[in-house]
Amino acid sequence: MAYEFFKVVQKHLEIAAKVVELPQHVADILSQPKNELIVNFPVRMDDGTMRLFKGYRIQHNNIRGPYKGGIRYHQDVHLDDVKALASMMTWKCSLMDIPYGGAKGGVKVDPHKHSKDELMRITRRFTHALGSNIGPEYDIPAPDVGTTAQMMVWMMDSYMNRSDDLAKNAQRGIVTGKTINAGGSQGREQATGQGAVVCVREWAKAQNLDLKGKTAIVQGFGNVGSFASRFLDQLGVKLLATGDHTCYIRNDKGIDVTALFAYARKNGSIKGFDGADVITREEFFKTKADIFIPAALENQIGAQEAQWLDVKMISEGANGPTNPEGDKVLEEKGIVVAPDILANAGGVTVSYFEWIQNKRSEFWELDEVEARLEKRMVRQYAKVMTYANERKIPTRIAAYAVSLENLKLAYEERGIFP
Ligand code: NAD
């Protein structure tokens, strides 16, 4: 049976709603997205033929600010996942005190099977199909699995070309995660991996643990996984094993992260890297380490994987990597989890900084972006952990509850129109 990601997220909401005594009508509103958009659009392939693609944009909630969330290009994208991911953006932005709501989009396409030109035409036609359903003050996309800064620039350019010349520059904030040259922010590319590692560092600090010489495994070596590995490396943590959609690899002496980073950038995956041995997925999960950063897809840590894992702490770079059965086993084993809506919130946090810079025509230095990100991650990490400890509830539920407290207040103050 297909994994019901949206139901899993709804269940977390239901449990956290009880913790914060959320009024039933607010829980009902938050249990479904406000808008669900599906578009089918034609794209010309390099050989001259035409193919029809299916795209989604789910706008979950905007009571705290414009809809915000990434665009995923993956062959398995479907409505249910996008709804789950859109709602998680609402929880994440509210948890981080960012004035955004939540959204998510996607196109059912395997980006590895298309040329750069085809990907450009897919992106431009998708943006055109979304039309005025997105906007810099209304709904702001960003990169996610399978999409890049370059694709964000194509989205921005396609969207900007809809307006007349006088209004063009004001549209730059239509997407975040752009290249620096096109108006992106310093520090955005690495922000999600960086935030996930801030959680690791805060966890270690809380128990006087020196991270130097400690070990980690990272699943996924794309944007989030590769940068998380780099930040761990900077803290002296050895990367023992990693894996992506092509294979898993291990080196008990520690993988040369700088070399693997450069290799994966050049080749599009870790396959063929000669600084580690190829292992199975099971061997990857069984690798003893201090830290695990899942940074691939949802539903990767079930009961079986949780049994296999021999780690002390998990910082969820990916969205929804642990399923409810996995959660149960991790809890029994006493493994600390920095939950996704907290651990991977560095990306949307710096996206917010990018949007502010675009609005003000400013350009912040990297150290300024990093200092602001650091401050917010540290503060919200402490808030979630304290909330969980005080109430003796799982950290995931605590993160949802902290987020729901803000949303509850927003509905209390504004009421329901009319
Ligand atoms: P990406 O496309 O850059 O990388 C995804 C990685 O996962 C790749 O290395 C890919 O090979 C690997 N992968 C795909 N299928 C796999 C499989 N079946 N088994 C093992 N590995 C597999 O995407 P990303 O932006 O790094 O996103 C990774 C996760 O982080 C997703 O859950 C995404 O929603 C989440 N996330 C991303 C951001 C961001 O800023 N990019 C922000 C928050 C959360």
Side-chain angles (χ1 to χ4, degrees):
M1 199 177 75
Y3 181 55
E4 293 180 305
F5 192 13
F6 186 49
K7 279 206 179 134
V8 168
V9 178
Q10 280 177 312
K11 188 76 192 162
H12 299 322
L13 168 69
E14 212 179 290
I15 300 169
K18 289 206 180 90
V19 176
V20 303
E21 295 174 3
L22 194 69
Q24 190 55 46
H25 72 277
V26 178
D28 289 345
I29 293 170
L30 293 174
S31 72
Q32 291 296 328
K34 273 194 144 178
N35 305 314
E36 301 179 21
L37 182 70
I38 302 180
V39 292
N40 294 292
F41 56 95
V43 180
R44 189 169 42 79
M45 299 289 99
D46 291 342
D47 65 4
T49 59
M50 193 279 296
R51 249 187 78 183
L52 196 67
F53 289 86
K54 192 180 277 299
Y56 303 88
R57 186 69 182 168
I58 305 298
Q59 296 166 333
H60 177 261
N61 189 274
N62 64 347
I63 192 153
R64 300 186 73 255
Y67 298 111
K68 180 84 186 95
I71 301 278
R72 178 172 289 195
Y73 282 5
H74 195 277
Q75 59 279 14
D76 298 333
V77 159
H78 62 87
L79 188 63
D80 188 66
D81 318 321
V82 190
K83 279 163 71 170
L85 292 163
S87 71
M88 289 176 74
M89 287 305 297
T90 303
W91 322 136
K92 198 179 301 182
C93 293
S94 175
L95 168 65
M96 298 306 286
D97 285 330
I98 293 171
Y100 282 146
K104 201 81 177 192
V107 177
K108 214 178 197 24
V109 57
D110 181 352
H112 301 107
K113 295 208 171 124
H114 292 274
S115 68
K116 188 175 175 190
D117 278 355
E118 286 180 352
L119 289 171
M120 180 181 74
R121 289 194 294 272
I122 291 167
T123 305
R124 286 187 179 281
R125 258 325 276 253
F126 180 48
T127 312
H128 177 76
L130 292 175
S132 51
N133 290 293
I134 54 172
E137 295 296 332
Y138 179 65
D139 181 358
I140 308 139
D144 188 68
V145 175
T147 52
T148 60
Q150 170 66 74
M151 293 175 192
M152 294 305 110
V153 178
W154 291 329
M155 281 196 94
M156 178 196 77
D157 187 70
S158 308
Y159 187 84
M160 271 173 134
N161 278 311
R162 292 162 37 100
S163 12
D164 68 45
D165 287 349
L166 295 179
K168 261 191 186 132
N169 193 54
Q171 315 297 323
R172 201 171 284 274
I174 174 62
V175 283
T176 57
K178 302 180 286 288
T179 62
I180 305 272
N181 200 42
S185 176
Q186 291 280 5
R188 171 60 185 91
E189 202 187 4
Q190 63 263 41
T192 309
Q194 188 168 6
V197 175
V198 169
C199 294
V200 172
R201 204 198 57 212
E202 291 305 293
W203 161 79
K205 207 193 282 170
Q207 46 190 329
N208 280 324
L209 191 76
D210 184 4
L211 281 174
K212 223 175 166 55
K214 295 288 180 289
T215 52
I217 58 173
V218 175
Q219 188 200 30
F221 207 78
N223 172 282
V224 181
S226 66
F227 278 108
S229 301
R230 281 233 306 224
F231 284 104
L232 286 173
D233 192 44
Q234 283 170 15
L235 294 175
V237 177
K238 267 200 294 193
L239 177 69
L240 296 184
T242 185
D244 69 3
H245 69 288
T246 61
C247 66
Y248 287 89
I249 57 173
R250 183 163 71 197
N251 180 339
D252 293 336
K253 293 199 188 82
I255 294 170
D256 180 341
V257 172
T258 310
L260 182 61
F261 190 91
Y263 183 89
R265 282 282 150 125
K266 185 159 171 263
N267 298 287
S269 76
I270 61 171
K271 194 175 184 169
F273 179 68
D274 61 8
D277 301 323
V278 174
I279 53 169
T280 63
R281 183 174 184 276
E282 179 175 339
E283 286 168 326
F284 169 81
F285 276 98
K286 285 182 168 170
T287 303
K288 183 178 167 62
D290 297 289
I291 297 142
F292 173 34
I293 299 193
L297 295 174
E298 57 277 2
N299 190 25
Q300 293 298 307
I301 312 168
Q304 177 70 91
E305 289 81 4
Q307 287 295 355
W308 288 338
L309 278 170
D310 190 357
V311 299
K312 299 189 179 80
M313 193 265 182
I314 299 178
S315 184
E316 293 183 334
N319 282 309
T322 314
N323 71 28
E325 294 75 34
D327 262 336
K328 217 180 290 164
V329 177
L330 296 180
E331 208 182 327
E332 280 161 18
K333 289 172 78 172
I335 297 175
V336 178
V337 176
D340 44 16
I341 59 169
L342 168 70
N344 70 36
V348 74
T349 304
V350 178
S351 274
Y352 167 52
F353 299 158
E354 177 175 333
W355 185 70
I356 296 175
Q357 291 171 72
N358 289 162
K359 268 167 157 323
R360 299 182 185 165
S361 296
E362 283 182 3
F363 188 69
W364 301 353
E365 299 292 337
L366 179 61
D367 56 358
E368 183 174 354
V369 173
E370 287 190 331
R372 285 175 186 252
L373 171 65
E374 169 81 23
K375 194 170 164 189
R376 208 175 273 251
M377 287 299 308
V378 169
R379 186 182 70 205
Q380 298 313 102
Y381 178 88
K383 200 168 182 176
V384 170
M385 293 300 157
T386 308
Y387 198 99
N389 290 337
E390 282 175 2
R391 292 165 182 76
K392 306 218 175 336
I393 56 174
T395 51
R396 189 178 313 288
I397 299 305
Y400 273 67
V402 171
S403 163
L404 283 181
E405 300 268 19
N406 284 340
L407 286 155
K408 181 183 168 189
L409 184 62
Y411 278 99
E412 256 166 38
E413 287 173 350
R414 287 179 54 170
I416 306 293
F417 177 82

